[in-house]
Amino acid sequence: MGNKTIERENKLKKLVDSTWVHFPKIGLHCENKISYHRFFCKIQTILSFRKLSEYLGIEIFLSGPHSKYYLELNSQSEFGHYNPEFPLKLREYLLPAKTNPSLYKLTLPIYESFIRNTAREFFIIYQKLDSNPKFFRKEADRYLLLVEENRLDPYYLDRFILFLYPAFTDNEDPEEASRFVYKKGDETIDAQVVKELVGFWIRRKADGTDTEFVLGLVELLKLYDSEFYQNRIVSRSN
């Protein structure tokens, strides 16, 4: 490993530490955005995709509408296909508190106040999608096809607004309808957040990075929110 690579990695590690500690004060203008859009907005106030790509030594996206500087969230004809190495790199660098007890103590209240709800929502949505792999794959393939044929309706994801409700179905025929694992209380998550996160995970299934992203999410939850994580994986019911 060359000196420049070591220097670059050390800069990234310091930036990650600093971002965790100062996260509450970053990008205050982003507070009006919902769910993970708020999170991305805050991060982008201190680090562009171009700079993050340089730090990680990889391209973040293999294809899609996103520029080196910002996320293009309104394209109906394409979406960002993440480089499969990207979530691996995130897991390598983004949880410094795993090996730093003092940083963990400092960042735990920050996680609880500013990140916990979004992290939990990501996991809850993924769990339900993953409880029916056939449906998950089918929806990812459908999304890909609609994008490729430039037929993705701007309101396409509205069909998932009620996704967390036990009565959600993709077919009026009970014999044909997809079945999911349901956990009471999940339906209280804001419907707009639900459809956004369903869209995120469908796109990750479509570009093949869903497994690595969820493994990173699990690491985050195990570190900062282990009781929630354990409850989710042991008490799933139909």
Side-chain angles (χ1 to χ4, degrees), residues 78-229:
E78 55 182 339
F79 69 93
H81 291 246
Y82 280 106
N83 183 339
E85 291 185 65
F86 178 59
L88 291 171
K89 290 285 188 179
L90 290 183
R91 290 169 61 193
E92 184 178 345
Y93 290 104
L94 289 196
L95 289 178
K98 284 197 300 185
T99 55
N100 187 332
S102 60
L103 184 62
Y104 172 79
K105 185 176 181 180
L106 191 62
T107 55
L108 178 59
I110 294 171
Y111 170 86
E112 291 176 338
S113 297
F114 295 93
I115 300 172
R116 181 176 64 188
N117 286 347
T118 297
R120 288 181 174 186
E121 289 162 356
F122 263 107
F123 190 70
I124 288 168
I125 297 292
Y126 181 85
Q127 258 197 322
K128 185 163 185 179
L129 284 167
D130 194 51
S131 73
N132 190 323
K134 184 178 179 181
F135 172 86
F136 199 179
R137 180 74 263 170
K138 180 184 70 175
E139 288 300 323
D141 291 343
R142 189 205 309 267
Y143 194 92
L144 267 176
L145 181 64
L146 291 173
V147 169
E148 288 171 358
E149 296 182 349
N150 200 18
R151 294 192 296 116
L152 186 67
D153 187 279
Y155 302 102
Y156 178 76
L157 293 175
D158 284 359
R159 63 204 296 264
F160 297 109
I161 281 177
L162 300 179
F163 179 66
L164 289 182
Y165 280 77
F168 173 83
T169 181
D170 59 345
N171 196 309
E172 293 182 1
D173 183 347
E175 296 298 321
E176 298 293 329
S178 298
R179 300 181 185 278
F180 305 90
V181 173
Y182 163 72
K183 186 171 176 62
K184 186 177 180 180
D186 287 352
E187 69 275 10
T188 60
I189 296 176
D190 182 86
Q192 295 300 313
V193 172
V194 171
K195 74 171 189 178
E196 290 288 336
L197 295 185
V198 170
F200 174 87
W201 284 121
I202 285 176
R203 290 189 291 273
R204 300 296 70 79
K205 175 65 74 173
D207 69 18
T209 59
D210 59 305
T211 298
E212 291 301 334
F213 270 108
V214 83
L215 287 174
L217 177 60
V218 166
E219 288 184 13
L220 174 70
L221 293 172
K222 283 184 174 180
L223 179 63
Y224 286 107
D225 209 356
S226 58
E227 184 176 350
F228 164 81
Y229 175 71

